[in-house]
Amino acid sequence: MIVAGNWKMNTDLVTARTLARDIVDAIADPGRVTVVLCPPFISLHAVSEVIRNAPVDLGAQNVHHEESGAFTGEISAPMLRSVGCRYVIIGHSERRQYFQESDELIHRKIQTALSYELRPILCVGETLDERKAGREEEVVRRQLSGALQDVVIRDPDHLVIAYEPVWAIGTGETATPEQAQAMHAFIRKCLDDILDASLARATKILYGGSVKPDNASELFENEDVDGGLIGGASLKAADFATIVRAAQ
Ligand code: PGA
C-alpha cells in the first residue's frame, strides 16, 4: 500500500517543515505502507531534511519534460532528484484543467521522470459530465494509453497510478467503494493491454478524491485499491496519520 499526501499550493517554508515533522511523529511506524509527502517545490529540500531518518519518502507535484535549458520558472527531473525526490505526481487533473496539460505532454513527462529514476504517480480520472454521459472508462483508457504507450517499465514499483475522479477532488464527494473498485479493476485491464500482464497485476493503483479518516478504510479494503492520494486531509497530521493506519 502507498499513501501519498499532495499538499498542492499550501504551506510556506515554515509551516511545511512543521507539518512534515508533525506527520513523522504522528505516523511513527507505518509498517509496510509506503508514505510519500509531496510539498510545494520550495519546501522540498526542507522537508527532505525533516524526513531524512524517517520511513517517509519525498515526492514532487510536477516536473518539466525537458532535463534543462531555457524554460523560465520550470523545475527539472534532475533538480528533483538532487533534493531527494523519489516520486513525482504527473498529470494531476488540476494540471490538465488549469495548465492545459495534454496526454502527449504527460507522456513526455513520464518518460523524463523514468529516465531519472523518479517514480511517476500518474493521475487519471473523468469529470462529472463524462461520468454522467457514461464515458468514464473511455476517458480513463485514453489517458492511460496516451501517457503510457511505448513506455518501458522495468519494475512494477517504478510506476504508480492514481485514479482521481475529478468530481470527487476537494468536493467532499467520494466515489463509493464499488465505483472505486470497478474503475481500479478496469485500470488493471487497461495496463494489461498497454504494458503487460505482470505489470498490470503488480502496479499500485491509488484512489484519490476526498479521502478522509472516516472513509479511508472502506476504500482501501477493495481488492484493487492499493492506497490513496490525499489532498485536503494530508494537511492535518492527525488525519493523515489515521489514513496511513487505515492502509496498514
Ligand atoms: P482531495 O484531493 O483529497 O482534497 O480531494 C486529492 C487530490 O487532488 O490529489
Side-chain angles (χ1 to χ4, degrees):
M1 298 286 270
I2 298 178
V3 176
N6 174 11
W7 295 2
K8 308 194 180 184
M9 196 171 73
N10 297 295
T11 68
D12 59 19
L13 186 59
V14 173
T15 53
R17 206 181 264 135
T18 307
L19 179 58
R21 210 169 275 138
D22 290 348
I23 288 174
V24 167
D25 290 346
I27 59 177
D29 176 12
R32 291 175 54 203
V33 179
T34 298
V35 177
V36 185
L37 302 185
C38 305
F41 286 138
I42 63 142
S43 297
L44 284 169
H45 186 243
V47 171
S48 83
E49 304 265 283
V50 173
I51 64 177
R52 187 187 292 276
N53 296 311
V56 173
D57 277 314
L58 190 65
Q61 299 175 17
N62 185 27
V63 64
H64 194 267
H65 59 277
E66 296 285 352
E67 60 192 56
S68 66
F71 300 100
T72 302
E74 292 295 318
I75 301 288
S76 71
M79 291 176 195
L80 296 179
R81 285 298 310 223
S82 77
V83 290
C85 283
R86 216 154 165 232
Y87 292 84
V88 58
I89 298 171
I90 294 181
H92 191 281
S93 62
E94 288 152 15
R95 302 283 331 162
R96 295 177 191 260
Q97 186 181 348
Y98 304 130
F99 303 94
Q100 287 73 47
E101 290 200 4
S102 63
D103 289 326
E104 159 67 22
L105 179 71
I106 290 163
H107 177 253
R108 293 173 71 185
K109 291 185 177 202
I110 297 268
Q111 296 275 39
T112 306
L114 288 169
S115 67
Y116 283 90
E117 294 178 5
L118 281 167
R119 301 174 175 193
I121 301 176
L122 168 64
C123 299
V124 297
E126 79 287 357
T127 64
L128 186 57
D129 283 350
E130 289 162 343
R131 179 163 279 266
K132 278 185 179 156
R135 293 181 49 226
E136 65 273 18
E137 291 194 346
E138 170 200 330
V139 168
V140 167
R141 179 184 283 278
R142 192 205 68 224
Q143 292 171 336
L144 288 169
S145 60
L148 298 175
Q149 206 63 254
D150 304 322
V151 169
V152 178
I153 309 280
R154 297 185 201 288
D155 181 315
D157 285 341
H158 292 178
L159 173 71
V160 180
I161 308 290
Y163 170 55
E164 299 206 310
V166 178
W167 46 272
I169 296 177
T171 57
E173 187 100 10
T174 319
T176 64
E178 295 73 29
Q179 284 171 324
Q181 168 55 30
M183 185 57 90
H184 283 226
F186 175 74
I187 289 171
R188 249 182 243 293
K189 191 162 154 287
C190 295
L191 294 179
D192 190 349
D193 298 339
I194 302 163
L195 301 171
D196 67 49
S198 66
L199 286 169
R201 258 196 313 275
T203 298
K204 301 227 172 15
I205 306 175
L206 315 184
Y207 170 80
S210 298
V211 178
K212 305 283 179 225
D214 59 0
N215 61 21
S217 299
E218 61 182 29
L219 288 160
F220 295 167
E221 261 163 30
N222 293 283
E223 189 187 341
D224 290 299
V225 178
D226 305 308
L229 180 54
I230 321 300
S234 72
L235 296 170
K236 290 192 188 127
D239 286 0
F240 189 66
T242 305
I243 294 169
V244 171
R245 274 192 292 280
Q248 292 171 342

